């Protein structure tokens, strides 16, 4: 989302030219798929983690430019809000020690960055939505300086023609409006990347969709927004509403949202890119000078710049990625459903569960999605976002059951089998999946810890909501740095 663009106005001619160019990219992409021009022999995995910045009082610190200058590490990049940064973790094979290397490298990078951020008056927090965020923190002035964000903000509101309405009915209710996309900056996520072959892409994407709800239930870490207790993963409805280009009338016509679970199982990665082009107008109609057909004819690898830019403005929860590295194209599934945190070890456990289950499901002789409606997968997703680790889900052959029971009975064995196929060392596999098991047995994840701690502080500590939320963050930060999994955290 943070890729640099030139700030500019767009004409009708720009939009017509872009539409032609993105369709030309789609044609070239189809030809590349037919010719099997993709790198997939040694698939890599990767991660991105978005972080909040806070000050000593646990309020948002609008200091990301200063923090990035102090950190001076290209792995850390800007994000939408001035209180956000993102770390891009170098891709690697899972192999025998891949997950352990992820954990070691992320902890080292975050510890080094935290030391440097502290010198400019900020601290880094891995959490889905910062509990101390107030509506006054999320204004146009809080957007990062990258021109891309100002352009996206401008184009979304030009398409809507009116302010955003944000309505979330959870434990408590939120009903408010926004005149910028800044509320989206409240949503800090963890993204997992999995490189796959064109032939395998549909199976891996479908598999990722089937377990998206379960992932959210296990990893929920965003129960508060603007001082209210809402969904256990409030980030999901907030993100869906905060970047919605549709007016109420357009919604009533059935026009698809740009933050999208999807509406069907796919048979090819081409299905997703074709839907993007067919359903969604351009937000940033910026044309690249490359002629993709000419590049392909000359034996070069087309960048498909317009197709990639367009894809980056359609926020699927499992998004297809086309990328080029060392002149070799490849495809990735980008899994975007999880919040950041609570700890690095929790994040790596979430990754192990995801990478293991999707591999087993994708390579199954009888695909799960052939036994399950797409609408059931979407219902699971939103139900798990609302109810977190206490959710009930539908599963083929089992009907409706607690998500923890599904994980313990059915999915942990699948995850273990998948990690074996990736070549993960047995002791590492058992350590990470044991964390998921304990979360299920104890019913404790980041969201439940935050809620239980808040209620304890309000009742036993006799604190008002605002101060109690501040104390939640102040207790959260040292526990996050301890790297003890969240199911072991005390609430009193």
């Amino acid at each position: 989302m943070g890729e640099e663009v030139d700030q500019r106005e767009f004409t009708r001619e720009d939009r017509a030219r872009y539409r032609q160019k993105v369709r030309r990219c789609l044609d070239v992409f189809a030809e590349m798929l037919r010719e099997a021009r993709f790198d997939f022999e040694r698939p890599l995995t990767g991660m991105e983690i978005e972080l909040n910045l806070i000050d000593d009082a646990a309020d948002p610190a609008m200091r990301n430019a200063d923090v990035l200058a102090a950190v001076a590490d290209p792995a850390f990049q800007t994000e939408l809000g001035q209180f956000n940064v993102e770390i891009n973790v170098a891709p690697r094979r899972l192999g025998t020690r891949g997950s352990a290397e992820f954990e070691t490298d992320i902890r080292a990078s975050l510890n080094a960055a935290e030391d440097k951020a502290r010198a400019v008056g900020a601290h880094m927090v891995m959490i889905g939505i910062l509990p101390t965020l107030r509506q006054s923190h999320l204004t146009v002035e809080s957007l990062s300086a990258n021109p891309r964000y100002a352009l996206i903000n401008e184009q979304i509101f030009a398409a809507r023609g009116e302010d955003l309405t944000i309505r979330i009915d959870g434990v408590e209710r939120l009903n408010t409006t926004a005149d910028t996309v800044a509320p989206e900056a409240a949503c800090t996520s963890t993204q997992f990347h999995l490189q796959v072959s064109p032939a395998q892409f549909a199976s891996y994407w479908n598999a990722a969709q089937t377990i998206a709800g379960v992932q959210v239930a296990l990893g929920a870490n965003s129960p508060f927004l603007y001082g209210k207790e809402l969904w256990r993963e409030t980030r999901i409805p907030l993100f869906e509403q905060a970047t919605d280009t549709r007016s109420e009338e357009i919604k009533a016509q059935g026009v698809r949202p740009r933050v999208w679970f999807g509406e069907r199982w796919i048979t090819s990665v081409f299905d997703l890119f074709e839907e993007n082009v067919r359903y969604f107008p351009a937000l940033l109609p910026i044309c690249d000078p490359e002629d993709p057909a000419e590049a392909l004819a000359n034996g070069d690898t087309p960048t498909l710049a317009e197709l990639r830019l367009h894809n980056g403005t359609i926020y699927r929860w499992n998004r297809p990625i086309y990328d080029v590295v060392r002149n070799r194209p490849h495809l990735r599934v980008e899994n975007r459903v999880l919040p950041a945190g609570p700890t690095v070890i929790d994040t790596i456990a979430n990754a192990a569960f995801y990478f293991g289950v999707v591999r087993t499901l994708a390579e199954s002789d009888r695909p799960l999605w052939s036994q399950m409606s797409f609408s059931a997968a979407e219902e699971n997703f939103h139900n798990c976002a609302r109810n977190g680790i206490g959710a009930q889900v539908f599963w083929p052959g089992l009907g409706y059951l607690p998500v923890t029971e599904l994980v313990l009975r059915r999915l942990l064995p699948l995850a273990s089998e998948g990690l074996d196929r990736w070549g993960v060392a047995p002791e590492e596999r058992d350590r990470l999946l044991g964390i998921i098991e304990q979360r299920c047995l104890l019913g404790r994840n980041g969201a439940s810890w935050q809620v239980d701690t808040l209620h304890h502080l309000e009742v036993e500590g006799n604190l008002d909501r605002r101060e109690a939320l501040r104390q939640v963050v102040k207790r959260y930060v040292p526990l996050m740095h301890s790297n003890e999994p969240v199911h072991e955290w005390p609430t009193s």
Side-chain angles (χ1 to χ4, degrees):
M1 188 174 182
E3 184 178 345
E4 292 283 355
V5 298
D6 295 328
Q7 189 158 3
R8 53 179 289 187
E9 295 181 355
F10 300 116
T11 66
R12 287 175 292 180
E13 290 77 12
D14 289 331
R15 294 187 179 279
R17 188 181 311 113
Y18 186 86
R19 179 178 284 110
Q20 293 174 351
K21 190 73 180 293
V22 79
R23 289 175 175 170
R24 189 170 177 83
C25 285
L26 188 64
D27 290 341
V28 170
F29 182 58
E31 186 174 348
M32 294 176 70
L33 290 172
R34 286 192 297 270
E35 295 178 0
R37 290 176 173 247
F38 291 84
D39 183 12
F40 58 85
E41 290 85 1
R42 294 169 57 85
L44 299 176
T45 58
M47 295 185 199
E48 300 171 69
I49 302 172
E50 297 167 356
L51 305 161
N52 284 281
L53 301 175
I54 61 169
D55 59 21
D56 289 337
D59 287 322
M62 306 294 176
R63 304 293 302 275
N64 69 354
D66 296 333
V67 167
L68 290 172
V71 171
D73 182 343
F76 286 83
Q77 297 182 359
T78 187
E79 256 298 328
L80 177 62
Q82 291 187 40
F83 60 95
N84 305 141
V85 295
E86 177 181 86
I87 177 172
N88 293 298
V89 184
R92 69 202 66 205
R93 300 183 71 193
L94 282 180
T96 55
R97 298 289 299 165
S99 57
E101 291 170 3
F102 271 131
E103 181 183 355
T104 300
D105 290 354
I106 294 170
R107 289 198 69 194
S109 294
L110 288 178
N111 289 341
E114 168 67 15
D115 288 343
K116 294 175 181 177
R118 193 179 297 121
V120 296
H123 307 275
M124 295 187 175
V125 187
M126 297 172 60
I127 195 166
I129 295 177
L130 188 63
T132 51
L133 265 178
R134 300 190 299 277
Q135 194 159 3
S136 59
H137 292 128
L138 298 172
T139 65
V140 69
E141 289 78 19
S142 67
L143 296 178
S144 293
N146 186 331
R148 180 186 178 107
Y149 303 129
L151 272 173
I152 288 176
N153 181 68
E154 175 188 305
Q155 295 301 308
I156 285 176
F157 280 89
R160 282 187 60 84
E162 62 189 47
D163 287 356
L164 288 162
T165 299
I166 298 174
R167 295 191 187 97
I168 305 174
D169 291 337
V171 177
E172 299 169 348
R173 291 185 176 183
L174 176 68
N175 189 346
T176 188
T177 60
D179 58 3
T180 74
V181 297
E184 193 272 311
C187 307
T188 47
S189 306
T190 298
Q191 290 119 44
F192 301 139
H193 289 256
L194 180 56
Q195 184 182 343
V196 296
S197 72
Q200 293 176 307
F201 189 96
S203 293
Y204 273 90
W205 187 85
N206 289 340
Q209 292 286 94
T210 65
I211 65 162
V214 177
Q215 285 183 270
V216 171
L218 293 174
N221 196 30
S222 313
F224 308 123
L225 178 64
Y226 298 164
K228 294 182 180 290
E229 181 183 343
L230 300 169
W231 289 20
R232 288 304 186 252
E233 190 48 41
T234 302
R235 194 183 110 265
I236 300 296
L238 176 59
F239 191 71
E240 289 178 341
Q241 296 178 49
T243 51
D244 198 343
T245 57
R246 306 168 302 162
S247 66
E248 293 299 321
E249 295 79 8
I250 295 297
K251 288 182 190 177
Q253 294 175 34
V255 173
R256 295 160 179 85
R258 296 190 87 96
V259 179
W260 201 28
F261 188 79
E263 62 189 14
R264 64 188 177 105
W265 306 119
I266 65 169
T267 59
S268 166
V269 62
F270 184 81
D271 295 348
L272 300 178
F273 284 103
E274 191 274 336
E275 283 182 347
N276 288 354
V277 173
R278 180 155 48 101
Y279 293 149
F280 300 102
L283 274 186
L284 303 175
I286 301 169
C287 287
D288 186 85
E290 178 191 75
D291 181 331
E294 183 178 307
L296 188 65
N298 291 338
D300 297 326
T301 300
T303 61
L304 305 184
E306 292 80 10
L307 193 68
R308 292 166 65 192
L309 178 60
H310 190 51
N311 186 53
T313 64
I314 298 158
Y315 308 102
R316 295 179 185 270
W317 292 110
N318 283 294
R319 182 156 63 182
I321 301 291
Y322 167 88
D323 206 353
V324 180
V325 176
R326 294 189 291 274
N327 205 39
R328 291 290 303 276
H330 70 259
L331 299 173
R332 304 194 303 270
V333 178
E334 181 189 27
N335 178 256
R336 303 161 46 81
V337 306
L338 286 175
T343 64
V344 173
I345 187 59
D346 284 303
T347 301
I348 302 304
N350 290 338
F353 178 80
Y354 168 73
F355 290 133
V357 173
V358 294
R359 176 148 188 180
T360 302
L361 292 179
E363 296 178 356
S364 172
D365 292 335
R366 188 185 178 200
L368 184 71
W369 47 96
S370 69
Q371 310 162 54
M372 181 181 190
S373 70
F374 194 89
S375 61
E378 184 173 16
E379 180 185 349
N380 282 348
F381 179 67
H382 286 102
N383 184 40
C384 288
R386 177 186 290 273
N387 297 302
I389 204 161
Q392 297 260 334
V393 293
F394 172 80
W395 202 254
L398 299 176
Y400 286 91
L401 73 167
V403 68
T404 52
E405 183 180 339
L406 172 65
V407 173
L408 292 169
R409 283 176 54 187
R410 186 66 59 89
L411 298 186
L412 279 175
L414 297 183
S416 181
E417 179 183 344
L419 293 178
D420 287 344
R421 295 183 188 183
W422 286 116
V424 174
E427 63 274 14
E428 187 66 10
R429 174 202 66 201
D430 293 345
R431 180 176 76 102
L432 296 173
L433 296 184
I435 291 171
I436 303 297
E437 179 183 40
Q438 287 302 308
R439 271 193 228 158
C440 292
L441 292 172
L442 298 174
R444 172 62 56 82
N445 62 9
S448 62
W449 180 88
Q450 289 188 55
V451 169
D452 290 349
T453 301
L454 175 77
H455 292 169
H456 173 79
L457 290 166
E458 287 181 322
V459 175
E460 301 298 328
N462 199 28
L463 299 179
D464 63 26
R465 175 62 61 87
R466 187 166 174 177
E467 182 56 29
L469 288 169
R470 190 182 307 280
Q471 292 304 317
V472 167
V473 178
K474 288 190 172 184
R475 293 186 180 197
Y476 183 102
V477 172
L479 290 167
M480 177 196 77
H481 284 299
S482 76
N483 205 38
E484 294 295 325
V486 70
H487 69 265
E488 297 181 4
W489 291 10
T491 57
S492 59

